[in-house]
mmCIF file of all heavy atoms in Angstrom:
data_model
loop_
_atom_site.group_PDB
_atom_site.id
_atom_site.type_symbol
_atom_site.label_atom_id
_atom_site.label_comp_id
_atom_site.label_asym_id
_atom_site.label_seq_id
_atom_site.Cartn_x
_atom_site.Cartn_y
_atom_site.Cartn_z
ATOM 1 N N HIS A 126 159.951 154.153 67.256
ATOM 2 C CA HIS A 126 158.857 155.126 67.277
ATOM 3 C C HIS A 126 157.547 154.358 67.426
ATOM 4 O O HIS A 126 156.903 154.013 66.444
ATOM 5 C CB HIS A 126 158.873 155.987 66.009
ATOM 6 C CG HIS A 126 159.984 156.975 66.011
ATOM 7 N ND1 HIS A 126 159.830 158.266 66.415
ATOM 8 C CD2 HIS A 126 161.291 156.842 65.703
ATOM 9 C CE1 HIS A 126 160.977 158.910 66.345
ATOM 10 N NE2 HIS A 126 161.883 158.058 65.921
ATOM 11 N N LEU A 127 157.196 154.116 68.672
ATOM 12 C CA LEU A 127 155.993 153.357 68.982
ATOM 13 C C LEU A 127 154.770 154.265 68.990
ATOM 14 O O LEU A 127 154.894 155.476 69.210
ATOM 15 C CB LEU A 127 156.148 152.699 70.354
ATOM 16 C CG LEU A 127 157.332 151.742 70.507
ATOM 17 C CD1 LEU A 127 157.471 151.310 71.965
ATOM 18 C CD2 LEU A 127 157.165 150.546 69.594
ATOM 19 N N PRO A 128 153.584 153.694 68.793
ATOM 20 C CA PRO A 128 152.366 154.503 68.902
ATOM 21 C C PRO A 128 152.306 155.152 70.283
ATOM 22 O O PRO A 128 152.658 154.536 71.291
ATOM 23 C CB PRO A 128 151.237 153.481 68.732
ATOM 24 C CG PRO A 128 151.864 152.338 67.999
ATOM 25 C CD PRO A 128 153.298 152.309 68.444
ATOM 26 N N GLY A 129 151.886 156.404 70.333
ATOM 27 C CA GLY A 129 151.799 157.137 71.590
ATOM 28 C C GLY A 129 153.066 157.879 71.963
ATOM 29 O O GLY A 129 153.138 158.496 73.018
ATOM 30 N N ARG A 130 154.067 157.846 71.097
ATOM 31 C CA ARG A 130 155.355 158.487 71.385
ATOM 32 C C ARG A 130 155.196 159.961 71.740
ATOM 33 O O ARG A 130 155.893 160.466 72.606
ATOM 34 C CB ARG A 130 156.287 158.335 70.184
ATOM 35 C CG ARG A 130 157.631 159.030 70.384
ATOM 36 C CD ARG A 130 158.567 158.785 69.206
ATOM 37 N NE ARG A 130 159.795 159.524 69.343
ATOM 38 C CZ ARG A 130 160.847 159.141 70.055
ATOM 39 N NH1 ARG A 130 160.808 157.998 70.699
ATOM 40 N NH2 ARG A 130 161.927 159.882 70.123
ATOM 41 N N TYR A 131 154.304 160.673 71.078
ATOM 42 C CA TYR A 131 154.146 162.105 71.308
ATOM 43 C C TYR A 131 152.871 162.446 72.081
ATOM 44 O O TYR A 131 152.432 163.570 72.087
ATOM 45 C CB TYR A 131 154.191 162.855 69.981
ATOM 46 C CG TYR A 131 155.516 162.668 69.267
ATOM 47 C CD1 TYR A 131 155.591 162.049 68.033
ATOM 48 C CD2 TYR A 131 156.699 163.107 69.851
ATOM 49 C CE1 TYR A 131 156.806 161.868 67.393
ATOM 50 C CE2 TYR A 131 157.924 162.932 69.214
ATOM 51 C CZ TYR A 131 157.969 162.308 67.993
ATOM 52 O OH TYR A 131 159.173 162.139 67.373
ATOM 53 N N GLU A 132 152.295 161.440 72.748
ATOM 54 C CA GLU A 132 151.085 161.668 73.538
ATOM 55 C C GLU A 132 151.482 161.725 75.021
ATOM 56 O O GLU A 132 151.740 160.702 75.655
ATOM 57 C CB GLU A 132 150.094 160.534 73.293
ATOM 58 C CG GLU A 132 148.777 160.741 73.985
ATOM 59 C CD GLU A 132 147.833 159.568 73.750
ATOM 60 O OE1 GLU A 132 147.935 158.891 72.707
ATOM 61 O OE2 GLU A 132 146.991 159.348 74.625
ATOM 62 N N LEU A 133 151.538 162.927 75.553
ATOM 63 C CA LEU A 133 151.912 163.150 76.939
ATOM 64 C C LEU A 133 150.756 162.732 77.845
ATOM 65 O O LEU A 133 149.642 163.220 77.693
ATOM 66 C CB LEU A 133 152.251 164.627 77.151
ATOM 67 C CG LEU A 133 152.729 165.054 78.531
ATOM 68 C CD1 LEU A 133 154.050 164.375 78.883
ATOM 69 C CD2 LEU A 133 152.898 166.566 78.566
ATOM 70 N N THR A 134 151.012 161.811 78.766
ATOM 71 C CA THR A 134 149.952 161.334 79.651
ATOM 72 C C THR A 134 150.044 161.900 81.059
ATOM 73 O O THR A 134 149.045 161.941 81.767
ATOM 74 C CB THR A 134 149.955 159.791 79.741
ATOM 75 O OG1 THR A 134 151.228 159.352 80.236
ATOM 76 C CG2 THR A 134 149.678 159.171 78.378
ATOM 77 N N GLU A 135 151.235 162.335 81.470
ATOM 78 C CA GLU A 135 151.386 162.822 82.842
ATOM 79 C C GLU A 135 152.614 163.707 82.980
ATOM 80 O O GLU A 135 153.639 163.470 82.347
ATOM 81 C CB GLU A 135 151.538 161.634 83.791
ATOM 82 C CG GLU A 135 151.739 162.013 85.239
ATOM 83 C CD GLU A 135 152.073 160.819 86.120
ATOM 84 O OE1 GLU A 135 151.932 159.667 85.677
ATOM 85 O OE2 GLU A 135 152.492 161.060 87.254
ATOM 86 N N LEU A 136 152.483 164.724 83.802
ATOM 87 C CA LEU A 136 153.613 165.524 84.280
ATOM 88 C C LEU A 136 153.595 165.432 85.796
ATOM 89 O O LEU A 136 152.527 165.503 86.400
ATOM 90 C CB LEU A 136 153.473 166.990 83.861
ATOM 91 C CG LEU A 136 153.653 167.310 82.389
ATOM 92 C CD1 LEU A 136 153.299 168.769 82.129
ATOM 93 C CD2 LEU A 136 155.085 167.032 81.956
ATOM 94 N N HIS A 137 154.759 165.245 86.393
ATOM 95 C CA HIS A 137 154.814 165.182 87.849
ATOM 96 C C HIS A 137 156.061 165.913 88.347
ATOM 97 O O HIS A 137 157.106 165.892 87.688
ATOM 98 C CB HIS A 137 154.793 163.733 88.343
ATOM 99 C CG HIS A 137 155.880 162.888 87.759
ATOM 100 N ND1 HIS A 137 155.766 162.257 86.547
ATOM 101 C CD2 HIS A 137 157.120 162.604 88.213
ATOM 102 C CE1 HIS A 137 156.887 161.606 86.283
ATOM 103 N NE2 HIS A 137 157.723 161.798 87.275
ATOM 104 N N PRO A 138 155.941 166.593 89.493
ATOM 105 C CA PRO A 138 157.095 167.328 90.008
ATOM 106 C C PRO A 138 158.206 166.388 90.440
ATOM 107 O O PRO A 138 157.957 165.280 90.920
ATOM 108 C CB PRO A 138 156.529 168.092 91.205
ATOM 109 C CG PRO A 138 155.263 167.426 91.558
ATOM 110 C CD PRO A 138 154.770 166.709 90.347
ATOM 111 N N VAL A 139 159.433 166.848 90.248
ATOM 112 C CA VAL A 139 160.614 166.145 90.734
ATOM 113 C C VAL A 139 161.343 167.145 91.621
ATOM 114 O O VAL A 139 161.990 168.072 91.128
ATOM 115 C CB VAL A 139 161.526 165.673 89.572
ATOM 116 C CG1 VAL A 139 162.781 165.011 90.117
ATOM 117 C CG2 VAL A 139 160.771 164.730 88.643
ATOM 118 N N GLY A 140 161.179 166.990 92.912
ATOM 119 C CA GLY A 140 161.745 167.948 93.857
ATOM 120 C C GLY A 140 161.246 169.352 93.550
ATOM 121 O O GLY A 140 160.092 169.547 93.177
ATOM 122 N N THR A 141 162.142 170.319 93.691
ATOM 123 C CA THR A 141 161.801 171.714 93.392
ATOM 124 C C THR A 141 162.573 172.216 92.181
ATOM 125 O O THR A 141 162.636 173.418 91.951
ATOM 126 C CB THR A 141 162.123 172.612 94.591
ATOM 127 O OG1 THR A 141 163.521 172.493 94.890
ATOM 128 C CG2 THR A 141 161.298 172.238 95.806
ATOM 129 N N TYR A 142 163.136 171.294 91.394
ATOM 130 C CA TYR A 142 164.013 171.697 90.304
ATOM 131 C C TYR A 142 163.635 171.161 88.932
ATOM 132 O O TYR A 142 164.254 171.522 87.925
ATOM 133 C CB TYR A 142 165.449 171.266 90.608
ATOM 134 C CG TYR A 142 165.648 169.762 90.560
ATOM 135 C CD1 TYR A 142 166.139 169.154 89.409
ATOM 136 C CD2 TYR A 142 165.328 168.950 91.636
ATOM 137 C CE1 TYR A 142 166.312 167.791 89.343
ATOM 138 C CE2 TYR A 142 165.499 167.595 91.588
ATOM 139 C CZ TYR A 142 165.999 167.009 90.440
ATOM 140 O OH TYR A 142 166.151 165.651 90.383
ATOM 141 N N ALA A 143 162.600 170.313 88.838
ATOM 142 C CA ALA A 143 162.329 169.670 87.556
ATOM 143 C C ALA A 143 160.905 169.117 87.509
ATOM 144 O O ALA A 143 160.172 169.120 88.497
ATOM 145 C CB ALA A 143 163.323 168.534 87.328
ATOM 146 N N VAL A 144 160.569 168.610 86.324
ATOM 147 C CA VAL A 144 159.300 167.921 86.112
ATOM 148 C C VAL A 144 159.601 166.633 85.343
ATOM 149 O O VAL A 144 160.479 166.593 84.473
ATOM 150 C CB VAL A 144 158.286 168.823 85.350
ATOM 151 C CG1 VAL A 144 158.753 169.136 83.947
ATOM 152 C CG2 VAL A 144 156.911 168.203 85.332
ATOM 153 N N GLY A 145 158.907 165.571 85.718
ATOM 154 C CA GLY A 145 159.024 164.306 85.004
ATOM 155 C C GLY A 145 157.853 164.170 84.044
ATOM 156 O O GLY A 145 156.773 164.717 84.283
ATOM 157 N N ALA A 146 158.064 163.441 82.971
ATOM 158 C CA ALA A 146 157.018 163.261 81.964
ATOM 159 C C ALA A 146 156.800 161.780 81.696
ATOM 160 O O ALA A 146 157.749 160.996 81.684
ATOM 161 C CB ALA A 146 157.410 163.973 80.665
ATOM 162 N N ALA A 147 155.542 161.417 81.484
ATOM 163 C CA ALA A 147 155.183 160.059 81.080
ATOM 164 C C ALA A 147 154.441 160.142 79.753
ATOM 165 O O ALA A 147 153.661 161.071 79.523
ATOM 166 C CB ALA A 147 154.313 159.397 82.141
ATOM 167 N N TRP A 148 154.717 159.183 78.898
ATOM 168 C CA TRP A 148 154.169 159.170 77.542
ATOM 169 C C TRP A 148 153.353 157.915 77.306
ATOM 170 O O TRP A 148 153.563 156.888 77.951
ATOM 171 C CB TRP A 148 155.320 159.261 76.532
ATOM 172 C CG TRP A 148 156.152 160.483 76.733
ATOM 173 C CD1 TRP A 148 157.252 160.602 77.523
ATOM 174 C CD2 TRP A 148 155.934 161.779 76.170
ATOM 175 N NE1 TRP A 148 157.728 161.888 77.483
ATOM 176 C CE2 TRP A 148 156.946 162.633 76.653
ATOM 177 C CE3 TRP A 148 154.979 162.306 75.297
ATOM 178 C CZ2 TRP A 148 157.019 163.971 76.293
ATOM 179 C CZ3 TRP A 148 155.057 163.636 74.936
ATOM 180 C CH2 TRP A 148 156.072 164.451 75.430
ATOM 181 N N ALA A 149 152.431 157.980 76.350
ATOM 182 C CA ALA A 149 151.521 156.870 76.069
ATOM 183 C C ALA A 149 152.233 155.622 75.561
ATOM 184 O O ALA A 149 151.679 154.531 75.629
ATOM 185 C CB ALA A 149 150.442 157.303 75.077
ATOM 186 N N ASP A 150 153.473 155.747 75.090
ATOM 187 C CA ASP A 150 154.210 154.563 74.642
ATOM 188 C C ASP A 150 154.933 153.867 75.799
ATOM 189 O O ASP A 150 155.663 152.905 75.591
ATOM 190 C CB ASP A 150 155.190 154.918 73.525
ATOM 191 C CG ASP A 150 156.330 155.823 73.970
ATOM 192 O OD1 ASP A 150 156.321 156.301 75.134
ATOM 193 O OD2 ASP A 150 157.238 156.074 73.158
ATOM 194 N N GLY A 151 154.738 154.352 77.029
ATOM 195 C CA GLY A 151 155.335 153.721 78.199
ATOM 196 C C GLY A 151 156.616 154.374 78.697
ATOM 197 O O GLY A 151 157.092 154.064 79.781
ATOM 198 N N HIS A 152 157.175 155.291 77.928
ATOM 199 C CA HIS A 152 158.411 155.954 78.357
ATOM 200 C C HIS A 152 158.099 156.931 79.488
ATOM 201 O O HIS A 152 157.154 157.713 79.402
ATOM 202 C CB HIS A 152 159.033 156.706 77.173
ATOM 203 C CG HIS A 152 160.341 157.345 77.502
ATOM 204 N ND1 HIS A 152 161.458 156.613 77.792
ATOM 205 C CD2 HIS A 152 160.697 158.635 77.606
ATOM 206 C CE1 HIS A 152 162.463 157.433 78.049
ATOM 207 N NE2 HIS A 152 162.026 158.675 77.947
ATOM 208 N N ASN A 153 158.916 156.883 80.567
ATOM 209 C CA ASN A 153 158.633 157.757 81.709
ATOM 210 C C ASN A 153 159.875 158.106 82.530
ATOM 211 O O ASN A 153 159.767 158.437 83.705
ATOM 212 C CB ASN A 153 157.572 157.131 82.616
ATOM 213 C CG ASN A 153 158.049 155.842 83.256
ATOM 214 O OD1 ASN A 153 159.163 155.395 83.034
ATOM 215 N ND2 ASN A 153 157.197 155.226 84.042
ATOM 216 N N THR A 154 161.052 158.049 81.932
ATOM 217 C CA THR A 154 162.280 158.277 82.710
ATOM 218 C C THR A 154 162.896 159.653 82.512
ATOM 219 O O THR A 154 163.902 159.958 83.140
ATOM 220 C CB THR A 154 163.335 157.207 82.397
ATOM 221 O OG1 THR A 154 163.589 157.207 80.989
ATOM 222 C CG2 THR A 154 162.858 155.826 82.832
ATOM 223 N N GLY A 155 162.308 160.489 81.674
ATOM 224 C CA GLY A 155 162.871 161.819 81.432
ATOM 225 C C GLY A 155 162.586 162.781 82.574
ATOM 226 O O GLY A 155 161.445 162.913 83.012
ATOM 227 N N ILE A 156 163.620 163.430 83.078
ATOM 228 C CA ILE A 156 163.479 164.467 84.104
ATOM 229 C C ILE A 156 163.959 165.773 83.477
ATOM 230 O O ILE A 156 165.136 165.929 83.170
ATOM 231 C CB ILE A 156 164.285 164.127 85.365
ATOM 232 C CG1 ILE A 156 163.738 162.838 85.993
ATOM 233 C CG2 ILE A 156 164.247 165.279 86.360
ATOM 234 C CD1 ILE A 156 164.547 162.341 87.168
ATOM 235 N N TYR A 157 163.023 166.688 83.273
ATOM 236 C CA TYR A 157 163.296 167.959 82.610
ATOM 237 C C TYR A 157 163.531 169.037 83.666
ATOM 238 O O TYR A 157 162.597 169.469 84.341
ATOM 239 C CB TYR A 157 162.106 168.363 81.735
ATOM 240 C CG TYR A 157 161.820 167.418 80.597
ATOM 241 C CD1 TYR A 157 161.156 166.209 80.805
ATOM 242 C CD2 TYR A 157 162.191 167.740 79.296
ATOM 243 C CE1 TYR A 157 160.883 165.351 79.761
ATOM 244 C CE2 TYR A 157 161.919 166.887 78.243
ATOM 245 C CZ TYR A 157 161.267 165.696 78.484
ATOM 246 O OH TYR A 157 160.987 164.849 77.434
ATOM 247 N N THR A 158 164.786 169.451 83.829
ATOM 248 C CA THR A 158 165.081 170.520 84.783
ATOM 249 C C THR A 158 164.500 171.826 84.259
ATOM 250 O O THR A 158 164.202 171.965 83.069
ATOM 251 C CB THR A 158 166.593 170.707 84.973
ATOM 252 O OG1 THR A 158 167.173 171.131 83.730
ATOM 253 C CG2 THR A 158 167.257 169.434 85.480
ATOM 254 N N TRP A 159 164.348 172.800 85.165
ATOM 255 C CA TRP A 159 163.832 174.110 84.744
ATOM 256 C C TRP A 159 164.744 174.710 83.686
ATOM 257 O O TRP A 159 164.257 175.311 82.723
ATOM 258 C CB TRP A 159 163.699 175.054 85.929
ATOM 259 C CG TRP A 159 162.842 174.588 87.068
ATOM 260 C CD1 TRP A 159 163.019 174.922 88.374
ATOM 261 C CD2 TRP A 159 161.676 173.756 87.043
ATOM 262 N NE1 TRP A 159 162.039 174.334 89.160
ATOM 263 C CE2 TRP A 159 161.198 173.612 88.357
ATOM 264 C CE3 TRP A 159 160.984 173.097 86.026
ATOM 265 C CZ2 TRP A 159 160.081 172.866 88.692
ATOM 266 C CZ3 TRP A 159 159.861 172.341 86.359
ATOM 267 C CH2 TRP A 159 159.413 172.237 87.655
#
């Protein structure tokens, strides 16, 4: 649980089926389908 874990820094579209999220702790591999 690094600092910035719950600080959302970016949302970006992934095709037409999902959104990707980037977090202040550097994590950015989650792809959230609709």
Side-chain angles (χ1 to χ4, degrees):
H126 287 264
L127 301 172
R130 177 176 175 83
Y131 299 117
E132 184 182 332
L133 183 63
T134 59
E135 178 188 348
L136 289 173
H137 56 275
V139 177
T141 59
Y142 69 97
V144 65
W148 302 90
D150 67 353
H152 183 67
N153 64 0
T154 57
I156 297 174
Y157 296 78
T158 64
W159 303 150

